[in-house]
């Protein structure tokens, strides 16, 4: 029932740069996989060194034979096997740290196979905040195996800091279908106005509703039935996000006493930089009952956001990053000003990236979209009884 049961991993051996697995640290297109476990991808030696301390506890040898594995591919099909047999041996790993296998085309005949230097044990870890500079990397990379272990990693991240960044592992063809449907729904005018509300005074029943910068489509049963030809892939994704979130319930209940019993329908959102320059959503908590707003508890406890954006996404040039205040997972700060004193985690809205965070404690924002691009994401919220 885990998300990876849907997302297949048979990918073409040579992928365009914008369809390669992103770097484990910065989210940019990866060029090489860890040759020891083949489970994470890096863009170069700098990110490998920065990410080694985070990756080391989960890095275990894939096998005695090291084969070439292009970034974004899996398995050892005929093409990969042929390349592996033609490539010269890799230098051995140093001090238990793996070297990287090449992640693009095989080297020219007669040349040595390019490798990155093993990371230094003294290399400092990159800040989780991703600011200033590059976004944070992935905490969990979903595969067709180790689903229980991956679920525990998600819960461990939630316990530690209240947010987990996941590489979902969707097949590129499925990702493409999601992009096409999201764009077509925009072109056909299916997105509607979105509102955000807050009490006139703290604790008041009188709520003021203001327009948001994004437009949304709620994937209710009625809407999906009426528009089933427009949202086949989106409906599948919405169902799988629901199964993934509820699949975490047993671990959350046993380890945190947090029970999830139901969820909202999916909300497809678009921040259109070409229609609303600088479109954004300022820092807020999805379920702000612990904050100075003093509103009733709407029972939301876990938020899932899956990004559906084509190609690379530069958070400095394009904007639109998700930013989460790491003020602690157990209780929400009373105000956004208080939350902003904490370190902030920056997430690039690259396709197939999923952000999982506590709805009732974690302040977060969509930073202004700076380019003319449209930023798509599908979100859902899980509620306690």
């Amino acid at each position: 029932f885990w998300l990876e049961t849907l997302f297949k991993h048979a990918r073409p051996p040579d992928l365009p740069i914008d369809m390669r697995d992103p770097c484990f640290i910065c989210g940019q297109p990866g060029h090489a996989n860890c040759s020891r476990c083949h489970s994470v991808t890096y863009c170069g030696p700098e990110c490998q060194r920065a990410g080694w301390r985070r990756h080391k506890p989960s890095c275990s040898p894939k096998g005695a034979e090291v084969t070439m594995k292009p970034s974004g591919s899996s398995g050892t099909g005929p093409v990969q096997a042929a390349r592996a047999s033609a490539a010269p041996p890799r230098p051995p790993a140093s001090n238990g740290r793996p070297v990287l296998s090449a992640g693009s085309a095989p080297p020219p005949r007669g040349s040595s196979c390019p490798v990155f230097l093993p990371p230094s044990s003294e290399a400092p870890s990159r800040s989780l905040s991703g600011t200033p500079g590059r976004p944070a990397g992935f905490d969990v990379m979903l595969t067709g195996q180790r689903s229980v272990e991956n679920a525990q990693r998600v819960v461990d991240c939630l316990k530690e800091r209240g947010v987990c960044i996941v590489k979902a592992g969707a097949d590129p063809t499925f990702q493409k279908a999601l992009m096409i449907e999201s764009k077509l729904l925009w072109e056909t005018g299916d997105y509607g106005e979105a509102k955000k509300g807050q009490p006139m005074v703290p604790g008041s029943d009188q709520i003021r509703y203001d327009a948001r910068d994004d437009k949304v489509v709620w994937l209710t049963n009625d809407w999906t039935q009426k528009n089933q030809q427009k949202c086949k892939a989106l409906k599948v994704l919405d169902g799988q996000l629901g199964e993934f979130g509820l699949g975490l319930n047993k671990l959350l209940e046993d380890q945190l006493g947090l029970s999830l019993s139901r969820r909202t329908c999916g909300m497809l959102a678009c921040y259109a930089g070409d229609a609303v320059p600088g479109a954004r959503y300022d820092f807020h908590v999805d379920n702000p009952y612990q904050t100075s707003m003093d509103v009733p508890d709407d029972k939301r406890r876990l938020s899932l956001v899956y990004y559906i954006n084509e190609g690379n996404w530069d958070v400095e040039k394009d904007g639109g990053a998700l930013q989460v205040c790491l003020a602690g997972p157990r209780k929400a700060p009373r105000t956004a000003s208080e939350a902003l004193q904490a370190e902030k985690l920056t997430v690039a809205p690259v396709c197939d990236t999923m952000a999982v965070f506590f709805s009732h404690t974690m302040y977060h924002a969509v930073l202004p979209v700076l380019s003319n691009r449209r930023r798509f994401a599908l979100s859902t919220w899980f509620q306690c009884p």
Side-chain angles (χ1 to χ4, degrees):
F1 58 93
W2 302 107
L3 191 61
E4 56 261 43
T5 60
L6 170 73
F7 294 158
K8 306 302 182 184
H9 298 276
R11 297 178 172 90
D14 286 312
L15 290 172
I17 191 168
D18 63 350
M19 295 179 70
R20 294 178 187 166
D21 282 343
C23 176
F24 178 63
I25 296 300
C26 69
Q28 297 302 311
H31 294 290
N33 291 334
C34 172
S35 65
R36 190 165 184 248
C37 67
H38 291 183
S39 65
V40 298
T41 304
Y42 297 102
C43 64
E46 179 184 353
C47 279
Q48 186 197 14
R49 285 192 292 268
W52 173 240
R53 291 184 181 177
R54 290 177 60 192
H55 175 52
K56 182 177 179 180
S58 61
C59 183
S60 57
K62 188 82 171 179
E65 183 179 356
V66 178
T67 59
M68 294 193 61
K69 182 179 178 184
S71 173
S73 69
S74 66
T76 52
V79 176
Q80 291 96 327
R83 291 178 178 174
S85 62
R90 304 286 193 280
S94 173
N95 297 327
R97 296 186 295 272
V99 295
L100 294 175
S101 54
S104 53
R109 183 174 298 179
S111 68
S112 60
C113 182
V115 296
F116 298 137
L117 293 175
S120 168
S121 60
E122 289 78 24
S125 299
R126 187 182 302 279
S127 169
L128 285 177
S129 71
T131 54
R134 306 163 85 175
F138 294 108
D139 300 302
V140 177
M141 310 276 280
L142 296 184
T143 65
Q145 302 172 349
R146 301 186 297 183
S147 61
V148 175
E149 179 183 339
N150 286 332
Q152 183 60 61
R153 288 181 185 174
V154 173
V155 172
D156 287 342
C157 285
L158 292 173
K159 289 191 295 184
E160 178 183 351
R161 66 175 194 253
V163 57
C164 181
I165 311 305
V166 179
K167 168 65 173 164
D171 187 272
T173 56
F174 183 66
Q175 295 180 39
K176 192 69 175 178
L178 293 169
M179 296 173 198
I180 291 172
E181 290 182 357
S182 299
K183 292 176 181 178
L184 286 177
L185 289 172
W186 178 267
E187 299 295 340
T188 54
D190 283 270
Y191 289 77
E193 297 288 338
K195 299 285 186 179
K196 54 185 176 183
Q198 68 177 58
M200 300 293 286
V201 296
S204 171
D205 291 335
Q206 294 182 319
I207 307 297
R208 184 186 76 228
Y209 290 96
D210 299 314
R212 287 173 17 188
D213 288 348
D214 59 332
K215 308 282 187 187
V216 301
V217 178
W218 289 98
L219 303 185
T220 63
N221 287 334
D222 287 343
W223 188 90
T224 53
Q225 287 176 6
K226 292 176 183 176
N227 297 275
Q228 54 185 328
Q229 296 303 315
K230 296 181 180 180
C231 63
K232 291 182 178 180
L234 288 166
K235 183 178 179 181
V236 170
L237 175 64
D238 184 41
Q240 289 295 316
L241 293 181
E243 292 182 5
F244 178 83
L246 292 174
L248 298 174
N249 181 61
K250 183 67 165 60
L251 294 175
L252 291 171
E253 198 168 38
D254 290 347
Q255 299 175 32
L256 292 175
L258 178 62
S259 178
L260 305 176
S261 60
R262 62 191 187 279
R263 74 171 182 110
T264 68
C265 64
M267 182 192 77
L268 180 64
C270 176
Y271 288 82
D274 57 342
V276 183
R280 64 186 294 168
Y281 197 146
D282 289 326
F283 284 94
H284 65 285
V285 180
D286 287 339
N287 177 13
Y289 77 97
Q290 296 180 344
T291 73
S292 60
M293 294 174 69
D294 291 329
V295 295
D297 180 7
D298 65 19
K299 304 299 184 180
R300 285 183 292 173
R301 292 295 184 269
L302 193 68
S303 303
L304 260 66
V305 185
Y306 180 93
Y307 293 103
I308 311 171
N309 297 304
E310 190 170 10
N312 298 326
W313 192 282
D314 187 328
V315 296
E316 295 184 0
K317 176 183 174 182
D318 298 314
L322 172 70
Q323 200 163 66
V324 184
C325 296
L326 301 179
R330 297 189 178 278
K331 187 174 179 63
R334 290 288 287 173
T335 65
S337 297
E338 182 183 342
L340 286 168
Q341 301 304 309
E343 186 180 20
K344 290 176 282 294
L345 182 88
T346 300
V347 183
V350 177
C351 192
D352 201 43
T353 298
M354 182 168 64
V356 185
F357 54 92
F358 287 134
S359 309
H360 59 306
T361 62
M362 305 305 292
Y363 275 85
H364 59 285
V366 176
L367 302 186
V369 177
L370 304 178
S371 67
N372 291 328
R373 296 183 68 178
R374 297 168 186 166
R375 175 192 185 276
F376 296 97
L378 183 64
S379 303
T380 188
W381 294 267
F382 297 83
Q383 297 167 294
C384 66

